[in-house]
Amino acid sequence: MLEEEALLVRSHPQARPRMADEVRLVHWWVSGGEAAALDVLKQNLAKEDLVFNDTPIAGGDKLKADLKAMIIGGDIPTAAVMSGYDTWNWAQQGVLADLSTLAAAEDWNSAVPAALQKFCKYNGKWIGVPVALHSINWLWINTAAAEKIGLDAPPASMDALFVALEQAKAAGLVPLAIGGQPWLMATLFDSVVVATNGLDFYKRAFVDLDDAALKSSDMIRAFQNLSRLSSYADPGYSRLNWNDATDMVITGGALLEISGDWAKAEYRSAKKKADVDYLCVRFPGTEDDVLFNADIIAMFDVEPDRQSAQTKLAKSIMDRAFQASFNDAKGAAPVRMDVPDATFDAFGKKALADVRAANSNGTLIGAMSHGYIQPTGIQQAYFDVVARVFRSEIRPEAAAETLAEAIAAVK
Ligand code: BGC
């Protein structure tokens, strides 16, 4: 947003008057599983006597564009879901609230992992609340499809993964389910980089933006693995959304997918059971690492008479019981480390245990693909090069150099 636009926001009259007990949430949760999770939130707000004004917008880019138009028009929602550096982009415009008093009273500082807190705060002030701590380095396998190809355990290495994909192809299955948008290819590539070269390399390349690491033969090997994986995608993959791809695995048309744990919400909605109908393990070679992507509910600087409803919203999202029930439905780990896992299923228990372990040993690290390592410009450059490799528009051997140059041009 431009500086003048930000000024316009501050001087523009409110477009539509809002009721004091209304909570207007702009979000991107539109799939079946996501809607089920959102229901948990809606029920929680009803208990607080809040009126939920639902504003779903499919797709992160569309949400950003629509949100910008709303804000410029003076139509300020109570809150909007966002991730990574986007929270800072909005905070820089001076349009977000300051929840620091509430945060101190509720001790969010000790409950939320520091790696995630970083994006819930701007200049030391809480500007939103995290709602779901997703991680992306998961491999999802349909058990019936695995049996069909004689796969009795999830692949434990990249080599074993390629063997399984080849067998699925020979059996007439779609080996690898994936959707056609660059963010999905980048989500996959994050895991591939760690699996190919380890977490230290991932940090050198993406956190430090070390030129030698970006251009290295290790990075080329990661791109080669990505390119090889892309050859196992369904020929029609470019038309698919993430949840269509997940559905292909749920229904057994595809053997596997590599996806963030939002996929679990779809399995849950389809009444599929972990370890029975599907297997879910860490992507081979990333077992000790948690590459996270969290949903943050950023709070806007609303008029005084709307603040009490906003405070109730923030408090209820951070409530331990809500964190447990919402994230059981959403597929994520709770954002607070002090939520008991008693009510979680086996997958939820593992997700939380992994996050807790990674949080204490320094391996809880943001996903490059989800804006948790680098600002938007670099994230976009990453999407662009990764997608071009996946679509065979550039050779993996040229991609490392191209990525380094693309990053250098925007950093
Ligand atoms: C979001 C999740 C969402 C998923 C699929 C991720 O980027 O963090 O909340 O469920 O995309 O839409």
Side-chain angles (χ1 to χ4, degrees), residues 28-29 34 134 183 242 262 293 295 330 370:
W28 50 46
W29 297 315
E34 289 170 334
H134 283 294
W183 73 273
W242 71 272
W262 43 87
N293 166 37
D295 293 323
K330 188 72 176 72
H370 290 266

Side-chain angles (χ1 to χ4, degrees), residues 307-349:
Q307 281 168 7
S308 128
Q310 185 180 59
T311 303
K312 280 189 188 172
L313 172 67
K315 262 180 97 158
S316 70
I317 288 173
M318 291 301 282
D319 176 73
R320 288 183 189 77
F322 169 74
Q323 277 292 318
S325 48
F326 179 80
N327 284 307
D328 180 35
K330 188 72 176 72
V335 300
R336 336 177 34 127
M337 298 298 94
D338 56 359
V339 172
D341 68 1
T343 57
F344 294 3
D345 63 11
F347 177 85
K349 284 190 166 63

Side-chain angles (χ1 to χ4, degrees), residues 30-110:
V30 295
S31 76
E34 289 170 334
L38 186 69
D39 268 345
V40 178
L41 176 67
K42 285 183 191 167
Q43 283 161 20
N44 212 44
L45 296 182
K47 278 194 259 161
E48 303 277 339
D49 292 326
L50 293 171
V51 178
F52 188 66
N53 179 341
D54 194 6
T55 308
I57 301 174
D61 289 342
K62 173 98 170 66
L63 185 146
K64 272 187 233 179
D66 288 6
L67 188 58
K68 181 173 166 180
M70 276 179 223
I71 303 284
I72 291 173
D75 184 12
I76 316 290
T78 312
V81 66
M82 42 187 85
S83 54
Y85 275 94
D86 258 343
T87 58
W88 288 17
N89 293 341
W90 286 104
Q92 271 156 12
Q93 301 304 321
V95 294
L96 296 187
D98 177 4
L99 309 176
S100 301
T101 311
L102 181 63
E106 304 264 316
D107 203 16
W108 297 346
N109 287 303
S110 20

Side-chain angles (χ1 to χ4, degrees), residues 276-308:
V276 178
D277 304 304
Y278 69 97
L279 303 173
C280 179
V281 293
R282 288 287 172 195
F283 188 78
T286 72
E287 289 81 359
D288 298 330
D289 312 314
V290 175
L291 305 181
F292 78 86
N293 166 37
D295 293 323
I296 297 173
I297 308 290
M299 300 286 171
F300 286 89
D301 186 14
V302 292
E303 300 77 6
D305 65 336
R306 296 173 62 202
Q307 281 168 7
S308 128

